[in-house]
C-alpha cells in the first residue's frame, strides 16, 4: 500500500504539472498582438520576405520561447519582455499573381515545458498585390534583335544568372569551369538613346508567359534606367509617365 501511495502521488503530481503547464502556456500567448510592418515586392512563384511586429501589451508578464511562422518559414523569439515589440522577417512564396492576402501566422510556444506546443493561428488580414513571375528571355536577348533601340555594350560590369535566349558570347565560362551554375556577363550600355517598345502579343506564346516576360523586361529596364512603352490590345503603358510599381500592378491584375 505504501508503494501504491507513492505511485498515486507521482501520478497526481504529473497530471497537475501538465494541467498547470497548459494554463501557463496559454497565458504566455494570450494577449500578444501581431501587425504587418512592411513587405518586399511579391512575385508569383518567387520567395519574398515581409516583416511583422510582435507586441506584448502586458505590463506585468513576459513571454518566453515563442515561435512565429507560416508554411514557408519559422522564426524564434526567446524572450519578449512586457510592453516590448520585436520585429520578425518571414519568407513567403505566392502561388499566383493578383490580389492576395498574406498567409495566416502561427504563433506558438513550448513554454513552460518542452513536451507541449501551444499555438494561436492569427489572420493578418493584410492585402497586397502579387506581380507576375519575372521569367523569360533577358533584355540582352531582346537587344540582339533590336540593337538600334538599345545602344552598344560598353564595360564589363559583373555577372548574374543566365537567362534563356541570351547570346553564347555573354556566358561567363569560368563559372562553368569551376563547376558552378550557368552565369552570364553583364555590361553597362554606352548609350540608352532610344525608347524601347514591347508588344504584348509578341512577347511570348500565351498570356501568362507574356506577362512574365514583360515583368522581367520592366525590372531590367528599371535597373538600367531605360525608358520603354508596353503596348497592349486596348492600352499602352509608358514608363516616362507611369511609375514602375504602377506598371507592375497593371501586369499583376491584367
Amino acid at each position: 500500500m505504501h508503494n501504491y501511495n507513492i505511485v498515486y502521488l507521482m501520478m497526481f503530481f504529473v497530471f497537475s504539472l501538465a494541467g498547470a503547464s497548459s494554463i501557463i502556456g496559454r497565458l504566455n500567448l494570450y494577449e500578444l498582438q501581431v501587425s504587418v510592418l512592411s513587405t518586399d515586392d511579391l512575385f508569383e512563384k518567387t520567395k519574398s520576405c515581409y516583416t511583422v511586429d510582435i507586441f506584448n501589451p502586458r505590463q506585468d508578464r513576459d513571454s518566453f520561447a515563442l515561435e512565429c511562422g507560416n508554411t514557408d518559414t519559422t522564426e524564434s523569439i526567446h524572450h519578449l519582455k512586457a510592453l516590448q515589440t520585436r520585429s520578425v522577417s518571414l519568407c513567403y512564396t505566392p502561388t499566383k499573381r493578383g490580389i492576395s492576402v498574406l498567409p495566416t501566422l502561427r504563433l506558438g510556444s513550448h513554454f513552460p515545458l518542452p513536451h507541449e506546443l501551444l499555438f494561436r493561428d492569427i489572420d493578418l488580414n493584410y492585402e497586397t498585390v502579387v506581380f507576375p513571375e519575372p521569367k523569360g528571355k533577358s533584355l540582352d536577348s531582346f537587344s540582339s534583335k533590336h540593337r538600334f533601340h538599345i545602344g552598344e555594350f560598353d564595360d564589363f560590369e559583373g555577372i548574374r544568372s543566365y537567362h534563356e535566349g541570351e547570346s553564347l558570347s555573354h556566358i561567363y565560362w569560368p563559372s562553368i569551369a569551376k563547376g558552378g551554375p550557368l552565369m552570364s556577363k553583364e555590361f553597362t550600355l554606352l548609350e540608352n538613346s532610344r525608347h524601347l517598345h514591347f508588344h504584348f502579343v509578341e512577347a511570348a506564346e500565351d498570356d501568362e508567359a507574356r506577362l512574365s516576360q514583360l515583368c522581367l523586361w520592366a525590372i531590367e529596364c528599371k535597373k538600367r534606367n531605360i525608358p520603354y512603352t508596353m503596348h497592349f490590345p486596348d492600352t499602352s503603358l509608358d514608363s516616362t509617365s507611369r511609375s514602375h510599381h504602377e506598371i507592375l500592378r497593371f501586369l499583376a491584375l491584367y
Side-chain angles (χ1 to χ4, degrees):
M1 292 300 293
H2 176 71
N3 291 336
Y4 288 152
N5 288 337
I6 294 176
V7 172
Y8 293 149
L9 289 172
M10 287 299 298
M11 291 178 63
F12 176 79
F13 174 77
V14 169
F15 284 113
S16 298
L17 184 62
S21 171
S22 180
I23 294 173
I24 295 172
R26 283 174 168 78
L27 290 174
N28 191 50
L29 299 171
Y30 179 63
E31 294 183 10
L32 297 182
Q33 299 173 4
V34 180
S35 60
V36 179
L37 181 63
S38 63
T39 67
D40 292 345
D41 289 341
L42 299 179
F43 294 92
E44 177 188 16
K45 300 177 183 178
T46 304
K47 182 176 289 188
S48 304
C49 294
Y50 61 96
T51 303
V52 297
D53 278 347
I54 313 294
F55 174 57
N56 181 5
R58 296 168 300 198
Q59 299 182 5
D60 57 349
R61 185 183 298 118
D62 296 355
S63 290
F64 302 92
L66 301 175
E67 293 182 359
C68 54
N70 52 35
T71 56
D72 283 25
T73 184
T74 300
E75 295 292 336
S76 299
I77 299 177
H78 300 295
H79 183 196
L80 185 63
K81 296 181 180 179
L83 300 178
Q84 184 182 26
T85 300
R86 291 282 297 275
S87 296
V88 176
S89 182
L90 300 172
C91 295
Y92 170 49
T93 305
T95 57
K96 62 180 181 179
R97 65 180 176 86
I99 300 296
S100 180
V101 177
L102 290 182
T104 298
L105 181 79
R106 172 157 289 190
L107 185 62
S109 175
H110 286 282
F111 179 82
L113 296 177
H115 75 283
E116 183 180 23
L117 173 64
L118 299 172
F119 61 86
R120 290 172 54 199
D121 285 338
I122 302 175
D123 291 329
L124 297 177
N125 296 318
Y126 188 89
E127 190 175 87
T128 186
V129 178
V130 177
F131 305 131
E133 180 184 12
K135 182 180 179 181
K137 297 180 180 179
S138 72
L139 195 61
D140 293 332
S141 176
F142 179 85
S143 70
S144 66
K145 298 180 180 179
H146 306 80
R147 177 71 67 182
F148 61 97
H149 284 305
I150 282 279
E152 296 296 330
F153 292 113
D154 188 18
D155 294 331
F156 174 70
E157 190 175 54
I159 60 174
R160 54 169 172 74
S161 298
Y162 177 82
H163 295 299
E164 178 185 355
E166 289 189 60
S167 171
L168 294 179
S169 63
H170 289 173
I171 293 178
Y172 186 69
W173 297 109
S175 175
I176 299 176
K178 295 178 181 179
L182 190 60
M183 305 294 288
S184 179
K185 292 181 285 187
E186 190 166 32
F187 299 87
T188 57
L189 291 173
L190 189 60
E191 60 175 337
N192 300 326
S193 58
R194 301 288 181 102
H195 193 106
L196 295 182
H197 291 269
F198 305 125
H199 295 271
F200 176 75
V201 295
E202 299 175 1
E205 296 181 355
D206 60 76
D207 285 356
E208 291 302 320
R210 290 165 184 158
L211 292 171
S212 290
Q213 179 65 82
L214 293 176
C215 184
L216 176 62
W217 284 340
I219 293 171
E220 291 187 332
C221 285
K222 171 68 174 178
K223 180 180 178 181
R224 301 186 186 190
N225 197 28
I226 300 173
Y228 63 89
T229 298
M230 291 183 180
H231 299 280
F232 294 83
D234 54 352
T235 189
S236 294
L237 304 176
D238 191 331
S239 67
T240 61
S241 59
R242 294 176 182 257
S243 70
H244 177 63
H245 279 85
E246 187 178 358
I247 292 175
L248 293 185
R249 181 182 176 89
F250 180 89
L251 297 177
L253 303 179
Y254 187 80

